[in-house]
Amino acid sequence: MEPPYGGDTGVTAPEILLALVSGGLIGVVLGLVGGGGSILAVPLLVYVVGVGSTHAAIGTAAVAVTANALAGLIAHARAGRVKWHCATAFAFAGVVGAAIGAEIGKAFDGKRLLMLFGLLMVGIGLSMLRKRRREEDPDVRLSRSTARVLLPRLVPMGAGVGFAAGFFGIGGGFLIVPALIAATAMPFTYAVGTSLVVIVALGLTTSVSYALSGFVDWPLTMLLVAGGAGGAVIGIVLGRHLSTRKALLERIFAVLVIGVGIYVALGAA
């Protein structure tokens, strides 16, 4: 395991620009498709910004993505695109999984963790390219009458996604959105808004774990959050204008995830 991050907190001008741009890209993706910004955050920090510690990149990304997801959640909640009861059940199970995953992830060698992260990206990207055939249910809600059907789906999926989020230090939106759709058949737009509740909960769990171990670069985190706030606004606006082309956007993003995953896995091998 790498030692707690205690590098130079001075950030150079090029690093400031690269961090702001990286944060903006993460924010755009979160605002546009509700997830996936976090899966790009670690590669951006390692290969673009130049963070030398994989664990520091994971911890820093977790804090920044959590803050950006919270900003996006407010906008989606105001628009009524959040299924709060489903989100609560999924998040509760996810937090337990994330706490366990974060502790195990910190014990892994940095390069090995990065290689596994790259392979996960490839797998998720390929799964995103698969067509969804299930009929949507925009009125789905978790209640006493539906709990018998929905809870056995939401709880194990939440725990599994939470473990992956904690282990790899990611928000997990790219996992949460399809998991919510699979568990409840809610439409994509609702899954996007609902996923942000879970991203915030899982991100907080992972962030606290890594911060207590000294794996967060706070000046860099603030830059990512600043860039992400602007990016999230742009992403949400773009999402409204491109709402009829969500399927195309998902495919493009899936290909991007696969490409970055291959690069990360080969680079860490």
Side-chain angles (χ1 to χ4, degrees), residues 90-147:
F90 196 101
F92 183 81
V95 164
V96 176
I100 297 171
E103 292 305 311
I104 296 175
K106 287 184 294 185
F108 265 67
D109 172 73
K111 291 202 83 172
R112 187 179 179 189
L113 188 62
L114 203 58
M115 183 176 69
L116 291 173
F117 186 88
L119 293 175
L120 175 68
M121 291 180 71
V122 173
I124 294 302
L126 290 172
S127 70
M128 291 172 69
L129 291 174
R130 295 177 58 189
K131 291 184 179 180
R132 301 187 186 104
R133 298 177 181 176
R134 191 173 178 184
E135 190 173 334
E136 294 182 345
D137 181 7
D139 297 320
V140 67
R141 62 188 297 267
L142 179 61
S143 62
R144 288 184 178 180
S145 60
T146 62

Side-chain angles (χ1 to χ4, degrees), residues 1-2 8 18 37-38 52 56 58 82 93 142 171 176 189 201 221 225 234 259 268:
M1 184 174 111
E2 297 168 359
D8 182 10
L18 290 172
S38 56
I58 289 174
V82 178
L142 179 61
I176 297 166
T189 52
T221 299
V225 170
I234 296 172

Side-chain angles (χ1 to χ4, degrees):
M1 184 174 111
E2 297 168 359
Y5 185 71
D8 182 10
T9 56
V11 185
T12 66
E15 288 173 336
I16 291 175
L17 178 60
L18 290 172
L20 288 172
V21 171
S22 297
L25 179 59
I26 295 166
V28 167
V29 174
L30 279 170
L32 192 59
V33 296
S38 56
I39 201 171
L40 296 178
V42 173
L44 283 171
L45 285 173
V46 173
Y47 296 108
V48 176
V49 180
V51 175
S53 163
T54 301
H55 291 98
I58 289 174
T60 300
V63 178
V65 168
T66 301
N68 291 336
L70 181 59
L73 171 61
I74 294 171
H76 282 279
R78 287 176 176 172
R81 293 191 293 266
V82 178
K83 300 283 187 180
W84 290 102
H85 291 158
C86 291
T88 301
F90 196 101
F92 183 81
V95 164
V96 176
I100 297 171
E103 292 305 311
I104 296 175
K106 287 184 294 185
F108 265 67
D109 172 73
K111 291 202 83 172
R112 187 179 179 189
L113 188 62
L114 203 58
M115 183 176 69
L116 291 173
F117 186 88
L119 293 175
L120 175 68
M121 291 180 71
V122 173
I124 294 302
L126 290 172
S127 70
M128 291 172 69
L129 291 174
R130 295 177 58 189
K131 291 184 179 180
R132 301 187 186 104
R133 298 177 181 176
R134 191 173 178 184
E135 190 173 334
E136 294 182 345
D137 181 7
D139 297 320
V140 67
R141 62 188 297 267
L142 179 61
S143 62
R144 288 184 178 180
S145 60
T146 62
R148 185 184 303 178
V149 174
L150 294 181
L151 283 179
R153 299 174 184 170
L154 288 167
V155 172
M157 286 189 178
V161 169
F163 180 86
F167 185 77
F168 292 107
I170 53 179
F174 65 101
L175 292 170
I176 297 166
V177 170
L180 284 171
I181 293 173
T184 67
M186 68 174 66
F188 179 79
T189 52
Y190 283 93
V192 168
T194 304
S195 74
L196 293 172
V197 178
V198 187
I199 291 172
V200 171
L202 300 186
L204 280 173
T205 304
T206 305
S207 298
V208 170
S209 176
Y210 274 78
L212 290 175
S213 297
F215 288 122
V216 176
D217 185 328
W218 292 106
L220 185 56
T221 299
M222 295 302 104
L223 292 171
L224 288 172
V225 170
V233 173
I234 296 172
I236 291 172
V237 172
L238 284 175
R240 292 195 193 117
H241 290 291
L242 300 174
S243 58
T244 59
R245 303 188 126 187
K246 280 290 186 181
L248 176 61
L249 288 173
E250 286 184 78
R251 286 195 294 271
I252 292 173
F253 181 69
V255 172
L256 174 63
V257 169
I258 292 170
V260 175
I262 292 173
Y263 179 83
V264 169
L266 292 177

